Amino acid sequence: MEQAQISPWSPEVERGSTLSFLCVLGNNRTLDRNASHIIWKLEQNLIAQENYNVINETVSNVTIYNFTHERAHVRCFINVSGHEQLLNQTQVRSGFRPDKPGNFSCIFYYDKNTTCSWFSGKETHLTTHYTFIAKRTLHAADELHFCRSDNGSCSLFYPYVTMGTIIWCQVKAKNALAEVTSEWVYLDQMETVKPEIIEVKAIPGVKQMLRITWKRSELSPNSVKFNCRLRYRNTRLNYSEEVNVLMERGKKKASFNLTALHDFTEYAVVIQCSDSFFFTGWSEEKIGRTEEQAPSREVNLWRVIESSQSSENRTVHLLWKVVEELPSSGIILGYKIQCVSESSTYKKTVSSTNKMDILSLTGEAYVVSVVAYSSAGESPEATLRIPSIGEETPKPVDTVKAFTSNEQLVVEWETSALEVQRYVLEWYKEQETEPAGRSWQYIANATNWTAPKGVFEPFECYNISVYPLPKDKIGAPKSLQAYIQERSPSVGPGAKMENLGKNEVMIKWEEIPKAQRNGFIVNYTVFYKPEGGKELSETVNADFLQYQLKLLKANTQYTAHVMASNKAGRANGSTITFNTLKLSKEDLILMNTTIGLCMLFIFVLGTVWSLKKHA
Ligand SMILES: *[C@@H]1O[C@H](CO)[C@@H](O)[C@H](O)[C@H]1NC(C)=O
Ligand SMILES: *[C@@H]1O[C@H](CO)[C@@H](O)[C@H](O)[C@H]1NC(C)=O
Ligand SMILES: *[C@@H]1O[C@H](CO)[C@@H](O)[C@H](O)[C@H]1NC(C)=O
Ligand SMILES: *[C@@H]1O[C@H](CO)[C@@H](O)[C@H](O)[C@H]1NC(C)=O
Ligand SMILES: *[C@@H]1O[C@H](CO)[C@@H](O)[C@H](O)[C@H]1NC(C)=O
Ligand SMILES: *[C@@H]1O[C@H](CO)[C@@H](O)[C@H](O)[C@H]1NC(C)=O
Ligand SMILES: *[C@@H]1O[C@H](CO)[C@@H](O)[C@H](O)[C@H]1NC(C)=O
């Protein structure tokens, strides 16, 4: 190898530029080979001949346009009797000019060296050298401190920088493409070594408080007195608050109580201190959580009393929801349910982690109560009275209606009982059979409710009831069914025929299964058509499940089907085919009677004739 020289050797170039290389054959070359036999490659790829230029017998030149490789080899070969023989290769690197350095910061280590660093900007991909220059003043004659670095930071040796020193500094960045010099920057914001937060901790039994403990850096002497700033932030919120605290001379550690915080909330804390000359940077963030508190809100309690009840045994389903607290006071571990008879000494307490319970009660009146508990205590009690059987139930509201407005279901009711201020609205899908699947909402001082979007699903039939709550009683419900949105039925009604006659037939059909109605069926239409004739139809309201077609043509093939309509559309059931009879029942009876009479007549005639013959 090395039978040739490439120049330039190992260049560093600007990304995307045009390059030119020479391959100069050595003296010991084969005589019949000259520079016109040289070929060029970029890595493994042959460079097109039109980019070659044979300068003289020993020198070939190549031009490479738009060089975008970060690193690549340019290789020159010579063609010897069909074989490519590598003569030489060189690596080429491409990159960018350095950015202007900026964002200087220096960290002061007291009686040790001071380290300054800067931001070099984007990666150049080329060998780039930095020179850091420090001066005490900008006067030209001032003492200079130099430091060369390739990694973005430099040390200034003690005692060039001592307590209270301020410096001017500048960084020069240089690579093959350019030399860029930063402005002179006046560094009064020099940092001292950061303090460190050791812990952010709740003290058992102390609510709404976090104790912050921090220590000065090992590198800052104990003789320095610090003024510190604690900055703390609820991790779920954006804004932070600050308090100033003092760190005395001679103390390695200090702590501070942050008070009046939220319960059971995470706070992120950072600290920064000042020795009256320099500030430290902000410490690493530490997170801690305040003590848990007993739940502050009572649960939202409701019940479903199963309707099939004897006076001795009743099944009552208790259901409850946790009212969300913001911020949350803690983690609810479970619920305690208490059931107390009003007339006897019966009392039962159970615990549960579910948000429901099933009680088997006798016909007496009971008071049930539920509390939620966390490791810190219990919530206030939610209570509900289960009346005895036979006790008079307060009367229901007068009217209820439901309609859709703005894609939301609105329920409105009217009542003449003016003393009632509170109501419970209860709803569940018509298909829902489990009492636990019911939803409810307490409503005070209003006689309407607009369901938040998403509470009711479209195309589903809901049973909705309004219960008035006079005093501590629960009145009788007033109920209705509603769809928030309807669409055409998924299937049509299946039809069949009965009582086929000469001119009439009874068409019967079945209700569409509830899950496939997608709305309230308003009416049914029976379509029928004689073979080759015109289609006719009859519509009946949804109370009917049959229709008698009359005035049909005798002995004719008919097709028929039934269509169900709701407010949003319609669906056709399958088609049935039948042939009307040639003769009606009456015709057959008449015919049979006629034949019978004829036979009788013939019989009588025969008898008379034979008697006569006998005689
Ligand atoms: C070929 O050209 C190069 C550069 O132009 C020159 O240095 C060299 O002397 C020339 N060689 C011959 C044999 O003419
Ligand atoms: C190089 O060699 C070829 C024959 O292989 C010849 O035709 C050509 O003239 C030579 N070129 C130069 C520049 O000497
Ligand atoms: C250079 O090459 C790059 C990538 O191969 C391409 O995106 C760019 O357009 C080219 N530039 C020119 C001037 O051809
Ligand atoms: C300095 O740092 C800030 C944020 O840390 C950054 O937005 C800015 O671009 C930097 N400036 C330079 C010149 O590096
Ligand atoms: C936090 O700040 C961002 C941008 O400043 C803002 O978009 C967002 O809504 C804020 N979040 C809260 C909870 O305030
Ligand atoms: C912080 O609170 C704890 C517990 O109430 C108390 O013992 C301690 O003295 C308080 N510390 C400070 C610095 O107030
Ligand atoms: C049947 O009900 C639909 C949907 O409400 C209605 O558009 C149509 O007019 C009704 N047909 C008759 C004949 O009443």
Side-chain angles (χ1 to χ4, degrees):
M1 266 238 297
E2 297 253 353
Q3 294 161 332
Q5 286 182 352
I6 294 185
S7 73
W9 185 253
S10 274
E12 297 197 346
V13 301
E14 187 154 21
R15 186 80 44 98
S17 58
T18 299
L19 313 181
S20 174
F21 289 89
L22 295 177
C23 186
V24 182
L25 293 173
N27 292 330
N28 55 346
R29 68 191 165 95
T30 336
L31 281 175
D32 59 336
R33 303 283 101 183
N34 63 33
S36 67
H37 300 106
I38 287 177
I39 56 170
W40 292 88
K41 288 188 177 182
L42 181 57
E43 290 294 328
Q44 314 304 328
N45 305 315
L46 188 67
I47 299 170
Q49 294 274 341
E50 68 251 30
N51 300 314
Y52 301 175
N53 180 17
V54 179
I55 291 174
N56 58 29
E57 217 179 324
T58 56
V59 182
S60 170
N61 164 274
V62 70
T63 306
I64 302 173
Y65 297 96
N66 190 16
F67 185 89
T68 54
H69 299 266
E70 190 178 323
R71 276 156 202 262
H73 287 93
V74 171
R75 297 182 166 127
C76 93
F77 294 81
I78 194 148
N79 224 328
V80 180
S81 51
H83 291 288
E84 288 169 4
Q85 186 186 334
L86 179 65
L87 294 174
N88 211 339
Q89 60 177 358
T90 188
Q91 180 179 263
V92 187
R93 293 171 65 182
S94 82
F96 305 96
R97 304 159 156 266
D99 284 336
K100 194 188 263 189
N103 281 8
F104 293 93
S105 68
C106 295
I107 296 181
F108 180 62
Y109 290 97
Y110 296 90
D111 50 359
K112 312 224 167 37
N113 299 337
T114 293
T115 301
C116 293
S117 53
W118 57 90
F119 179 67
S120 316
K122 70 168 185 299
E123 169 73 83
T124 64
H125 301 288
L126 301 180
T127 316
T128 307
H129 299 288
Y130 296 88
T131 310
F132 178 83
I133 307 155
K135 281 184 174 193
R136 289 198 196 281
T137 66
L138 273 185
H139 297 172
D142 192 39
E143 158 187 14
L144 283 181
H145 191 96
F146 271 85
C147 156
R148 291 213 159 73
S149 155
D150 294 345
N151 65 6
S153 79
C154 266
S155 287
L156 298 178
F157 297 107
Y158 180 81
Y160 184 83
V161 179
T162 56
M163 188 77 116
T165 309
I166 46 169
I167 57 167
W168 290 87
C169 58
Q170 184 185 52
V171 171
K172 282 185 184 159
K174 185 167 190 283
N175 68 13
L177 305 177
E179 178 177 274
V180 184
T181 308
S182 77
E183 320 298 336
W184 279 104
V185 176
Y186 173 69
L187 268 186
D188 60 344
Q189 290 286 338
M190 199 181 294
E191 290 179 5
T192 57
V193 274
K194 292 174 190 173
E196 185 192 339
I197 294 185
I198 305 169
E199 63 181 9
V200 175
K201 197 178 134 197
I203 295 176
V206 185
K207 312 282 186 208
Q208 304 182 336
M209 191 187 89
L210 282 174
R211 175 159 227 206
I212 319 299
T213 307
W214 71 96
K215 65 172 188 191
R216 61 177 78 211
S217 160
E218 301 295 343
L219 296 167
S220 73
N222 280 355
S223 56
V224 181
K225 176 179 160 185
F226 280 121
N227 279 306
C228 299
R229 275 195 285 186
L230 266 180
R231 179 181 286 177
Y232 60 102
R233 176 175 65 88
N234 177 337
T235 54
R236 278 189 311 202
L237 303 175
N238 277 346
Y239 64 89
S240 41
E241 292 176 78
E242 286 184 5
V243 287
N244 291 316
V245 289
L246 207 67
M247 185 165 205
E248 295 294 347
R249 275 194 188 89
K251 282 196 164 175
K252 270 249 162 270
K253 282 206 295 191
S255 47
F256 183 78
N257 289 341
L258 280 178
T259 53
L261 304 177
H262 291 302
D263 292 313
F264 200 61
T265 300
E266 278 190 342
Y267 287 88
V269 185
V270 290
I271 193 167
Q272 177 186 51
C273 298
S274 159
D275 61 9
S276 80
F277 289 107
F278 306 133
F279 266 102
T280 71
W282 288 103
S283 70
E284 299 290 315
E285 185 177 83
K286 264 247 157 61
I287 292 179
R289 193 164 63 188
T290 49
E291 275 262 294
E292 201 170 352
Q293 188 84 282
S296 64
R297 310 276 301 265
E298 60 191 57
V299 301
N300 185 322
L301 186 60
W302 186 233
R303 91 293 180 271
V304 178
I305 302 176
E306 268 186 28
S307 53
S308 60
Q309 51 184 243
S310 73
S311 61
E312 281 316 303
N313 277 311
R314 291 189 286 174
T315 302
V316 175
H317 299 260
L318 273 190
L319 310 173
W320 58 90
K321 300 187 278 202
V322 172
V323 181
E324 204 176 327
E325 302 168 303
L326 274 178
S328 143
S329 60
I331 296 171
I332 289 176
L333 299 175
Y335 307 91
K336 285 184 190 149
I337 304 105
Q338 196 172 67
C339 180
V340 181
S341 162
E342 272 187 354
S343 51
S344 73
T345 57
Y346 175 86
K347 179 173 171 179
K348 191 180 164 200
T349 306
V350 291
S351 281
S352 170
T353 52
N354 292 331
K355 295 200 188 99
M356 57 161 295
D357 194 32
I358 300 171
L359 306 174
S360 290
L361 303 181
T362 62
E364 302 164 87
Y366 291 88
V367 173
V368 291
S369 62
V370 177
V371 296
Y373 63 89
S374 69
S375 67
E378 292 182 355
S379 72
E381 207 175 54
T383 59
L384 203 69
R385 188 173 174 277
I386 311 291
S388 65
I389 286 175
E391 194 174 316
E392 198 192 337
T393 310
K395 66 180 176 60
V397 298
D398 301 334
T399 60
V400 184
K401 63 177 178 182
F403 54 92
T404 300
S405 160
N406 236 334
E407 295 173 24
Q408 284 168 289
L409 192 77
V410 180
V411 183
E412 278 183 7
W413 57 96
E414 282 173 17
T415 179
S416 49
L418 293 176
E419 77 282 5
V420 179
Q421 302 296 330
R422 294 172 68 230
Y423 302 89
V424 167
L425 210 89
E426 182 198 65
W427 68 92
Y428 55 94
K429 283 184 192 170
E430 189 189 25
Q431 315 273 36
E432 178 65 69
T433 50
E434 289 297 322
R438 298 193 184 191
S439 305
W440 71 97
Q441 172 86 30
Y442 279 82
I443 290 154
N445 303 323
T447 54
N448 60 54
W449 182 64
T450 303
K453 282 193 176 143
V455 165
F456 291 95
E457 292 170 28
F459 324 128
E460 287 280 355
C461 184
Y462 283 89
N463 289 335
I464 301 175
S465 303
V466 175
Y467 295 78
L469 304 179
K471 305 219 183 67
D472 65 338
K473 298 195 165 176
I474 299 174
K478 186 109 189 165
S479 305
L480 52 65
Q481 289 195 317
Y483 284 86
I484 188 167
Q485 195 190 336
E486 298 189 10
R487 67 175 168 199
S488 315
S490 307
V491 296
K496 57 183 193 219
M497 52 118 196
E498 257 176 35
N499 298 342
L500 183 61
K502 180 177 157 195
N503 303 111
E504 70 285 307
V505 69
M506 176 69 90
I507 304 290
K508 288 193 165 184
W509 57 92
E510 280 170 5
E511 278 192 297
I512 302 171
K514 280 177 180 169
Q516 290 170 317
R517 286 180 207 169
N518 306 333
F520 295 116
I521 303 299
V522 179
N523 56 36
Y524 295 103
T525 307
V526 181
F527 291 93
Y528 59 106
K529 180 169 166 302
E531 195 175 16
K534 213 177 125 224
E535 186 169 65
L536 301 167
S537 72
E538 298 291 342
T539 298
V540 292
N541 75 37
D543 298 335
F544 293 89
L545 290 175
Q546 60 180 42
Y547 188 79
Q548 172 98 17
L549 296 179
K550 293 185 184 133
L551 303 176
L552 303 180
K553 284 185 242 170
N555 192 22
T556 304
Q557 180 177 320
Y558 274 88
T559 56
H561 72 268
V562 181
M563 175 180 89
S565 300
N566 64 19
K567 236 170 30 194
R570 51 208 139 261
N572 288 312
S574 55
T575 302
I576 53 171
T577 306
F578 55 89
N579 288 297
T580 46
L581 305 180
K582 241 181 222 157
L583 300 168
S584 67
K585 264 190 212 139
E586 294 76 27
D587 291 341
L588 284 174
I589 292 169
L590 195 68
M591 221 163 71
N592 287 347
T593 321
T594 317
I595 291 169
L597 282 176
C598 284
M599 304 251 296
L600 188 68
F601 178 71
I602 289 165
F603 174 75
V604 170
L605 213 67
T607 316
V608 169
W609 182 74
S610 73
L611 281 176
K612 222 175 182 179
K613 198 172 170 190
H614 225 258

